[in-house]
Amino acid sequence: MKMSSLFASLLPLALCLALLGHSGVAAHGGHHAAHPAAATNASAAANATTAAKASTTNLVDEVCAKLKRKDLCVLSLQSVPEVGSTTDIGVLAIAALRFATTNASDTSAHIQGLLNDTTLAPDVQQGLSDCAEHYVDAVEQLDDSLAALTVKAYGDVHTWVQTAIADADACEAVFQQVATGQDLLSHRNQIFRQLCNNALGIVKLLKA
């Protein structure tokens, strides 16, 4: 009887401990079960971000590979924030025109700085003055081409970008007439022409 009473008194305690142990295991198991799901979500988000970046990079590479100056195309487009994660060639066309416009503005400011040098020969000073006018016009032509692109007036885009290129050509021609400093703006003129031609190439792909 004593053993029976002792067993009877210990049985509830044993059951309680067993239940507590089971709850702890279940809770512990549930806690670990949440980790794979969280890891999966984090992995999916990382993969999506990587895919978006790869998609943009692939589009830029794919488009630029079709142009004469692929290296300059890739460098210029990847430096424009608007490109972001786009998969739209139209966004690349706008970015290319904007980069060319910024380049023309930078050259215009560079010319103004050179004009402050009073030690330059008179013919060089005159050449710089002419080029300053050409680049002011080039910026205006590219601004017009951007406006035309937004309404898909591709013919106007081509006309105005070609006019901007002609401005750079005219600047280059001016300096072929001076006695010294013939290559003063040659590199800038060349880069600007290439940027404009790249922009036209992307617009052509956009039309296709």
Side-chain angles (χ1 to χ4, degrees):
M1 292 294 292
K2 290 183 180 180
M3 290 295 294
S4 177
S5 298
L6 179 61
F7 179 77
S9 64
L10 291 177
L11 182 59
L13 178 60
L15 288 173
C16 182
L17 290 174
L19 287 173
L20 286 174
H22 178 73
S23 298
V25 171
H28 188 65
H31 177 70
H32 279 285
H35 284 292
T40 300
N41 290 339
S43 178
N47 288 339
T49 300
T50 302
K53 290 181 178 179
S55 177
T56 303
T57 302
N58 290 341
L59 179 63
V60 170
D61 287 340
E62 178 184 345
V63 168
C64 291
K66 299 176 182 179
L67 307 178
K68 289 183 178 180
R69 283 301 308 274
K70 175 184 176 180
D71 54 343
L72 183 61
C73 174
V74 171
L75 181 65
S76 59
L77 289 180
Q78 289 184 343
S79 69
V80 178
E82 289 81 358
V83 169
S85 58
T86 188
T87 56
D88 184 355
I89 295 180
V91 173
L92 299 188
I94 292 173
L97 284 173
R98 284 181 177 169
F99 193 91
T101 304
T102 299
N103 178 267
S105 296
D106 181 66
T107 296
S108 183
H110 177 71
I111 292 171
Q112 291 300 323
L114 292 175
L115 282 169
N116 293 328
D117 185 355
T118 57
T119 65
L120 294 175
D123 58 344
V124 174
Q125 287 275 356
Q126 183 59 52
L128 288 171
S129 295
D130 292 345
C131 284
E133 293 179 6
H134 286 306
Y135 270 95
V136 167
D137 183 68
V139 171
E140 292 176 354
Q141 298 296 332
L142 291 179
D143 284 341
D144 288 341
S145 70
L146 273 167
L149 183 58
T150 60
V151 294
K152 300 182 180 181
Y154 300 125
D156 290 339
V157 174
H158 184 271
T159 297
W160 289 325
V161 175
Q162 286 289 4
T163 302
I165 293 173
D167 279 315
D169 290 340
C171 173
E172 186 67 20
V174 165
F175 271 92
Q176 298 308 310
Q177 309 301 319
V178 301
T180 59
Q182 293 182 347
D183 60 348
L184 194 60
L185 295 173
S186 291
H187 181 67
R188 285 179 173 270
N189 291 332
Q190 180 184 19
I191 293 297
F192 178 67
R193 283 193 297 265
Q194 291 171 347
L195 289 171
C196 287
N197 282 321
N198 279 348
L200 286 177
I202 297 174
V203 171
K204 185 177 180 180
L205 293 174
L206 184 61
K207 290 194 303 180

